[in-house]
Amino acid sequence: MSASKPSKKKREAGPRPKAPVYVNGSLAGFYPDGAALATHLREKRRMNELGYEMNVYYNEKTNEVFINTDAGRVRKPYVVVENGKSRLTPEMLTKIKAGVLSWEHLVKMGVIEYLDAEEEENSYVALSEEEIIPAHTHFEILPSTIFGVTSSVLPYPEHNSAPRITMACSMAKQSLGLYAVNFSQRFDTRAYVMYYPQEPLVSTDFYKALRLKKKAAGQNFIVAITTYKGYNMGDGTVVNKSAIDRGLGRAAMFKTYETEERLYPGGQKDKIEIPSPEVVGYRGEEAYKHLDDDGIILPESKVVSKDVMVGKTSPPRFLEEISVFGVVEEKKRESSLSVKAGEVGAIDSVMVTEAPSGNRLVKIRMRSSKIPEVGDKFASRHGQKGVVGIVLPQEDLPFTKDGIVPDLILNPHAIPSRMTAGHLLETLGGKASAISGELMDGTAFSGNTEEDYQKILKENGFDEHGEEWLYDGISGKKMKVKLFIGPIYYQRLHHLVSNKMHVRSRGPVQLLTLQPTEGRAREGGLRFGEMERDCLIGYGSSMVVRERLLEESDKTTQLVCNKCGMFAYHDYIKNKDLCPLCESEEVSPIEISYAFKLLLGEIRSMFIFPRILLKEKA
Amino acid sequence: MHEKKTEKKPSSQVSPYSAVGIVAAQSLGEPGTQMTMRTFHYAGVAEHVPTGLPRLIELVDSKKEPKKSVVEVYLKKSLASKESEAQDVAFDMESVLLSEVALVQEDLAGKKIVITLKEGEAKLLGVKMDMVKEAVKKTVGAHKVEARGNRMHVTLGVGIAPKAKTKKQKEKEAAEGPAAPTPLKELRKLTMKVGKSLVKGVAGIKRSVVLKGDGEYFIRASGFNIKDIVKIEKVDGSRIYTNSVIEIEKTFGIEAARNALIREISSVMELQNLNVDKRHIMLLADAMTADGKVKSIGRHGLSGEKAGVMGRAAFEETIKHLVNAAITAEDDNLVGVTENIIVGQTIPIGTGRIKLGMKVRK
């Protein structure tokens, strides 16, 4: 900027300063006319004299030219438009159909070009060829390409609210299906495979292009939208028991357990075998009943929790374990691999191989069938997720005059506030598809329309809005209003109650603090935290506080010296209580939390002597 | 009527050994989590006064001075309805420093300070030459002051005795011979002091605005200085208010500070549309003011003064408390809730406190 501000007139009249040109972000030089340079470079690119990976952007406001050729730019292909005319001519289209022209040809011919985020700023893209006006520079090959891989598989996203699409995308990733065709050869730590996956009745072009029907992850459910005695309140759903018995939503869970014959310093080694009764920690004959002679379980054995799958013995933890007779005795430890608590299933496959360390490694894949039950999660492809609230036999569910019984009953309150019109449209499409026997297209912006479906439904004598008279399964009476019912693609998500359910009344405690363990895997308790404690104090229920924090946690009885306040002990040889400090025999038992005992011990380790001074409780 | 009242009274009372403190803390804390970071905007001086969570934290921490202090001044009832009177008071209150109305220059050669009145500004702020003269004389003390028209000269060192030398200076002098006097340094010091001298208004009061509320005019000004504002004749000293709790405590005492705390906290909660029972806030204010001075909640105040060692150690600075307790051989008589939870006893609150008694007939 010059010191004196030039007047507006002067600025217009004066020659435009030379435009700085940046190549991959660094200044390369100056050019008198930036816009002309950009146009020129684009022409060269379209003539295939410059690489098609180059993008130019001219910023009119700052009069700068940016040329980018580096990696990492997201680019999207468009058809080039010149003077209001598409470069893609009908002749070319016939050639493409004949297989003479390929995509690469079109790119080299400058018919199709890739734009990056910056060059897009210099372009004016028409949504279709018909809409082209002279100002346009490109037109969209397909409007639905604005979606990414996951969202382009969802039907009718243009009818849903954006947050629901996001949710639908993330839930599609959690769906059970056929995740890999070679699943029976794989040893994934955890995998689910659906028994009878189906191709959706309403899919998209991209679904077909990705050939997802070969790896389907869901089933077409007959869904009725109505309430059902409060069992589908707040995103709950009612599911048909008879449908489940026919295989609806049924899946298998595969879980791989592994164990290794490890080497220990000193040349000792684990051994996979059926442990002999002398082994420390022997679990009894019953526990090893499934094992073959080599100590490894046989495939297709039915196992329940805590059954041993691989019998293994390890060398003792401490070498100097000397028996009473003074002879070093080789007492082995039991370290078998067993099924985790709460799990049941069958052994699917056994693999014996070698670990990277060179040790013998055994991998065992357990299979358990997961039948839908109360608490399992289901979702449509519109961000409409729900949990099974009740499973009811077919007889108790409503039916249509044709005898159609819903597989799932969705609560109507799930629809209006979430604005997932796509869900309803898919149901309508599913119905039309089932009636006509043709698969429907739900691709964004170009799929089958509501009118298409209404026409099919009307022609076949159905209500064009997808509503039908339902009859109450219990009383057999016709319901007062018509209900919306039809097939829609539902996914079973991998949040299964059977893998999450957890209760505890008694159980293991931590070694150091004697407090209950934490977490489902360790059969732990639920933390009664500070804020929960505050609530009980606020309510004034002191006894409950004491019960939670002491009686049901780490209560111990300790002896305390009446004289000096030090912890005392019971001497079993002399059979009397003793204080280690003043050797007094006047000690009293007190009930304290073990954590407090530890605290005092820790304070003592800092050379501070805390005394417990006792007095008779009034 | 009277009977009904006595019937009602026990049920409206808190039952004995209730954990009122915890309930108050929860009742204030839970809405606190909902407090929005959005601050409401006002025109005028109060614009940047913090509200919401920052203000609540400020109050509870009992900071020496709020981020932006505001004082509300009401006029005597007879004058309150006149806007012009309020404008006058507001004008009189606003403090004017010498440097705002005059050019303060130092004449290094003459060892003088030359003060030139800026007529325009002075007129605008209602400052006259004799006011300036008085202010300068007050700050300068014994230095010679001459006034001529718009100009004043302060000559250094005339008619002033040299300061008594400190012991250190004397020692230094003995070692190095008498130090050369540094009148220039003194001149600079004095210049700064003169520039900051109060010409007009109340010290500490900056911008002020006249507002109308409840059919009368009142003044809202930034800063606080109740003692001097009360001296203004037209001001109703009984209705003056400031958001500085500490200032209220200093001028009106601890009871007033308690009321101010209650009022300030309530206003913060009200502004956010949060409903908290006044009694919870009153309890908080009581706890903060119970021992005659305003205490903060937290390590340096209320929680730091808990009776039991273990109670304090459980809150913050565990090791410090344990070590100090060891040094002074402190006892913990297990009077608090935390202490009893730590050792695993029934806490002395609610059902843990009541005892059964029996009269034994002799």
Side-chain angles (χ1 to χ4, degrees):
Chain A
M1 267 285 176
S2 56
S4 63
K5 214 175 165 184
S7 70
K8 205 177 175 186
K9 213 175 174 184
K10 207 174 170 188
R11 209 190 279 171
E12 273 168 18
R16 194 152 194 184
K18 282 182 178 177
V21 180
Y22 298 90
V23 176
N24 290 337
S26 48
L27 184 65
F30 292 84
Y31 193 80
D33 189 345
L37 177 67
T39 328
H40 181 69
L41 285 173
R42 277 174 204 144
E43 261 158 36
K44 289 274 175 204
R45 182 179 62 198
R46 285 169 195 175
M47 276 157 28
N48 203 25
E49 284 174 34
L50 279 171
Y52 72 96
E53 289 179 330
M54 182 222 42
N55 285 106
V56 207
Y57 163 57
Y58 173 64
N59 187 332
E60 211 166 327
K61 270 183 196 153
T62 56
N63 192 31
E64 288 169 315
V65 180
F66 295 91
I67 300 165
N68 285 307
T69 62
D70 49 351
R73 289 166 295 132
V74 180
R75 295 152 83 242
K76 195 183 163 199
Y78 294 94
V79 178
V80 178
V81 173
E82 265 177 345
N83 308 320
K85 260 190 177 171
S86 165
R87 270 203 175 194
L88 187 69
T89 55
E91 296 89 74
M92 286 178 187
L93 281 172
T94 46
K95 273 186 185 173
I96 295 166
K97 272 179 193 155
V100 183
L101 274 181
S102 70
W103 179 269
E104 280 74 28
H105 288 132
L106 293 176
V107 174
K108 277 190 181 159
M109 286 157 70
V111 175
I112 283 171
E113 68 181 1
Y114 289 87
L115 299 188
D116 71 351
E118 281 188 287
E119 191 172 338
E120 236 168 41
E121 297 293 321
N122 283 162
S123 58
Y124 185 30
V125 182
L127 282 179
S128 66
E129 197 169 0
E130 293 77 50
E131 285 174 28
I132 293 175
I133 56 163
H136 281 126
T137 58
H138 299 84
F139 82 85
E140 285 272 8
I141 298 171
L142 204 59
S144 48
T145 50
I146 57 162
F147 290 103
V149 175
T150 26
S151 48
S152 61
V153 166
L154 308 175
Y156 298 118
E158 78 275 32
H159 291 272
N160 287 334
S161 63
R164 289 289 141 183
I165 298 173
T166 317
M167 292 164 79
C169 284
S170 46
M171 279 188 287
K173 295 171 198 167
Q174 303 175 4
S175 59
L176 310 187
L178 188 68
Y179 73 103
V181 198
N182 66 339
F183 69 91
S184 60
Q185 313 299 311
R186 296 167 62 108
F187 279 79
D188 298 286
T189 34
R190 186 180 271 231
Y192 295 90
V193 172
M194 192 173 242
Y195 279 31
Y196 306 110
Q198 291 174 350
E199 179 186 1
L201 293 179
V202 182
S203 65
T204 68
D205 290 343
F206 301 92
Y207 191 90
K208 287 164 196 148
L210 294 165
R211 278 177 237 137
L212 281 178
K213 76 170 176 187
K214 301 218 165 177
K215 291 185 187 178
Q219 286 172 334
N220 295 295
F221 284 25
I222 307 289
V223 175
I225 302 185
T226 179
T227 54
Y228 194 93
K229 295 185 178 176
Y231 284 105
N232 60 1
M233 280 195 296
D235 281 333
T237 53
V238 176
V239 177
N240 186 336
K241 170 103 186 346
S242 315
I244 291 175
D245 292 343
R246 284 177 225 124
L248 184 96
R250 191 168 293 210
M253 180 179 83
F254 293 100
K255 209 172 171 188
T256 304
Y257 289 88
E258 55 179 64
T259 190
E260 191 184 324
E261 268 186 347
R262 279 181 56 200
L263 274 170
Y264 293 91
Q268 288 160 305
K269 219 178 161 188
D270 287 339
K271 197 178 177 205
I272 291 174
E273 61 184 353
I274 301 177
S276 60
E278 301 91 71
V279 168
V280 178
Y282 186 69
R283 301 194 199 183
E285 213 181 318
E286 183 66 8
Y288 308 103
K289 65 183 174 193
H290 297 301
L291 301 188
D292 203 2
D293 291 342
D294 60 357
I296 303 172
I297 199 162
L298 283 165
E300 290 308 323
S301 320
K302 305 281 175 283
V303 288
V304 293
S305 60
K306 291 183 177 160
D307 275 354
V308 173
M309 292 184 290
V310 179
K312 198 171 79 169
T313 51
S314 302
R317 220 167 266 167
F318 307 105
L319 279 175
E320 50 284 317
E321 255 177 42
I322 296 165
S323 76
V324 196
F325 307 105
V327 191
V328 179
E329 208 177 300
E330 262 295 289
K331 265 229 157 163
K332 285 188 151 187
R333 252 178 334 120
E334 139 80 278
S335 59
S336 297
L337 178 72
S338 50
V339 180
K340 273 194 181 167
E343 286 183 7
V344 280
I347 302 305
D348 196 61
S349 182
V350 173
M351 182 171 73
V352 180
T353 173
E354 211 171 60
S357 52
N359 300 328
R360 204 153 82 103
L361 175 74
V362 180
K363 283 194 174 189
I364 288 174
R365 187 171 66 212
M366 195 182 92
R367 156 173 46 82
S368 29
S369 86
K370 297 285 178 186
I371 302 165
E373 56 178 322
V374 172
D376 281 358
K377 195 176 173 186
F378 285 88
S380 76
R381 285 125 100 214
H382 307 271
Q384 285 288 4
K385 56 182 170 215
V387 168
V388 178
I390 196 171
V391 177
L392 285 176
Q394 183 165 317
E395 307 87 86
D396 294 343
L397 293 170
F399 54 91
T400 68
K401 67 173 197 320
D402 302 313
I404 300 280
V405 184
D407 296 322
L408 188 142
I409 300 177
L410 184 72
N411 195 302
H413 295 296
I415 309 291
S417 58
R418 292 171 191 161
M419 299 179 286
T420 54
H423 186 100
L424 306 178
L425 195 51
E426 194 199 331
T427 311
L428 203 66
K431 204 164 178 176
S433 169
I435 292 164
S436 66
E438 264 172 58
L439 293 176
M440 295 301 170
D441 179 17
T443 312
F445 309 117
S446 62
N448 292 112
T449 58
E450 193 187 346
E451 288 74 36
D452 296 344
Y453 298 146
Q454 286 177 341
K455 205 176 146 228
I456 293 170
L457 288 170
K458 224 175 177 179
E459 278 169 3
N460 288 281
F462 280 87
D463 181 295
E464 57 182 328
H465 304 296
E467 291 178 343
E468 273 178 68
W469 288 107
L470 290 190
Y471 298 86
D472 183 15
I474 296 166
S475 66
K477 279 183 186 160
K478 190 173 161 182
M479 291 193 177
K480 282 178 186 155
V481 287
K482 279 176 138 186
L483 294 174
F484 189 71
I485 183 170
I488 176 174
Y489 201 62
Y490 254 77
Q491 298 156 322
R492 186 173 182 206
L493 308 183
H494 69 212
H495 300 282
L496 312 178
V497 253
S498 60
N499 294 330
K500 293 189 172 180
M501 197 185 74
H502 174 52
V503 284
R504 170 185 168 130
S505 53
R506 281 168 288 164
V509 290
Q510 270 156 19
L511 200 64
L512 176 71
T513 60
L514 297 190
Q515 286 167 1
T517 50
E518 200 189 325
R520 190 181 112 99
R522 270 163 283 159
E523 221 192 303
L526 295 176
R527 189 183 159 80
F528 190 82
E530 214 167 331
M531 291 173 91
E532 289 76 15
R533 182 208 71 157
D534 287 347
C535 289
L536 289 190
I537 296 170
Y539 188 64
S541 49
S542 313
M543 304 306 163
V544 185
V545 177
R546 195 185 137 109
E547 185 181 13
R548 279 294 113 202
L549 269 32
L550 185 75
E551 318 276 349
E552 302 291 288
S553 180
D554 57 348
K555 180 178 166 179
T556 58
T557 305
Q558 298 285 331
L559 299 173
V560 170
C561 173
N562 289 352
K563 270 190 187 163
C564 65
M566 177 68 184
F567 282 123
Y569 64 97
H570 182 79
D571 191 326
Y572 280 94
I573 297 167
K574 293 177 191 160
N575 193 26
K576 52 185 168 184
D577 298 332
L578 265 182
C579 170
L581 274 189
C582 53
E583 284 165 16
S584 156
E585 287 175 28
E586 286 171 44
V587 300
S588 318
I590 57 163
E591 281 174 0
I592 53 166
S593 70
Y594 193 76
F596 182 54
K597 194 218 130 186
L598 287 178
L599 172 75
L600 294 186
E602 211 163 301
I603 292 174
R604 248 179 283 128
S605 74
M606 299 192 298
F607 280 85
I608 298 171
F609 180 26
R611 293 166 193 267
I612 302 174
L613 306 176
L614 301 175
K615 69 179 177 210
E616 216 54 56
K617 216 171 191 180
Chain B
M1 181 67 189
H2 180 256
E3 263 171 40
K4 266 195 176 165
K5 260 188 179 170
T6 45
E7 255 172 49
K8 185 95 178 136
K9 202 185 161 199
S11 68
S12 61
Q13 260 180 343
V14 157
S15 39
Y17 307 130
S18 280
V20 283
I22 292 255
V23 174
Q26 289 184 337
S27 308
L28 277 161
E30 195 278 331
T33 61
Q34 297 176 26
M35 262 196 234
T36 44
M37 291 317 274
R38 194 172 92 229
T39 43
F40 299 91
H41 290 277
Y42 300 98
V45 243
E47 193 179 353
H48 297 295
V49 177
T51 52
L53 204 59
R55 173 65 180 150
L56 199 65
I57 292 167
E58 196 175 84
L59 285 166
V60 162
D61 286 350
S62 73
K63 289 258 173 68
K64 280 273 128 45
E65 195 178 314
K67 242 186 192 161
K68 277 281 147 59
S69 45
V70 167
V71 65
E72 270 163 28
V73 180
Y74 294 84
L75 302 189
K76 285 192 175 135
K77 278 270 154 69
S78 54
L79 306 166
S81 57
K82 288 175 199 153
E83 192 181 354
S84 58
E85 296 284 353
Q87 292 284 13
D88 282 356
V89 174
F91 192 71
D92 287 348
M93 258 168 54
E94 261 183 72
S95 65
V96 176
L97 302 185
L98 185 69
S99 54
E100 289 172 55
V101 289
L103 207 66
V104 183
Q105 292 165 306
E106 39 194 359
D107 176 0
L108 295 174
K111 285 176 196 159
K112 279 193 295 193
I113 303 169
V114 183
I115 299 158
T116 324
L117 193 72
K118 292 189 257 182
E119 298 219 343
E121 277 92 336
K123 209 173 173 188
L124 211 67
L125 296 167
V127 175
K128 291 197 183 84
M129 192 58 198
D130 44 335
M131 287 162 83
V132 176
K133 223 187 280 178
E134 207 170 297
V136 170
K137 266 184 185 159
K138 220 172 162 186
T139 36
V140 161
H143 293 287
K144 192 180 141 197
V145 180
E146 292 168 286
R148 231 175 293 132
N150 269 346
R151 220 165 251 212
M152 282 176 80
H153 292 263
V154 179
T155 318
L156 204 67
V158 180
I160 193 164
K163 266 190 212 158
K165 282 168 190 163
T166 60
K167 204 177 166 193
K168 220 174 182 182
Q169 279 173 325
K170 273 181 191 165
E171 277 168 14
K172 207 175 169 190
E173 239 169 66
E176 299 166 14
T182 52
L184 292 183
K185 207 172 171 183
E186 222 161 289
L187 184 71
R188 172 60 59 84
K189 242 190 196 165
L190 195 66
T191 317
M192 304 293 269
K193 210 169 142 196
V194 168
K196 280 182 195 154
S197 59
L198 186 74
V199 180
K200 184 195 142 247
V202 180
I205 304 297
K206 275 160 237 161
R207 287 156 300 131
S208 66
V209 161
V210 174
L211 296 165
K212 197 181 179 182
D214 270 344
E216 63 173 312
Y217 291 92
F218 66 96
I219 300 141
R220 183 181 284 159
S222 66
F224 56 83
N225 188 345
I226 294 180
K227 268 181 199 157
D228 288 346
I229 292 172
V230 171
K231 284 178 197 157
I232 300 172
E233 213 176 293
K234 292 168 186 170
V235 167
D236 186 351
S238 63
R239 293 197 291 161
I240 198 161
Y241 187 74
T242 170
N243 66 349
S244 168
V245 175
I246 300 292
E247 172 76 3
I248 288 182
E249 188 204 352
K250 264 195 278 183
T251 42
F252 298 114
I254 195 71
E255 286 298 331
R258 188 190 91 106
N259 289 330
L261 263 175
I262 295 169
R263 184 172 156 168
E264 286 296 315
I265 296 172
S266 308
S267 79
V268 168
M269 304 308 279
E270 258 163 51
L271 223 59
Q272 303 268 338
N273 279 324
L274 299 171
N275 263 319
V276 177
D277 196 300
K278 197 136 207 169
R279 275 156 224 285
H280 297 313
I281 300 169
M282 283 163 72
L283 184 73
L284 178 75
D286 278 343
M288 287 177 70
T289 54
D291 62 359
K293 60 180 201 305
V294 178
K295 267 191 304 191
S296 66
I297 305 286
R299 192 167 33 175
H300 303 293
L302 218 52
S303 300
E305 289 173 18
K306 275 189 193 172
V309 197
M310 286 192 284
R312 270 177 283 133
F315 178 57
E316 267 171 18
E317 299 176 306
T318 311
I319 293 166
K320 185 183 115 185
H321 285 297
L322 290 179
V323 168
N324 284 344
I327 292 167
T328 55
E330 212 174 309
D331 282 348
D332 193 322
N333 290 314
L334 306 184
V335 284
V337 171
T338 334
E339 294 95 303
N340 280 292
I341 286 182
I342 290 172
V343 300
Q345 284 192 355
T346 316
I347 52 168
I349 278 268
T351 53
R353 194 89 179 256
I354 50 159
K355 273 167 194 138
L356 274 184
M358 191 168 72
K359 267 186 190 166
V360 184
R361 226 181 266 159
K362 280 175 188 169

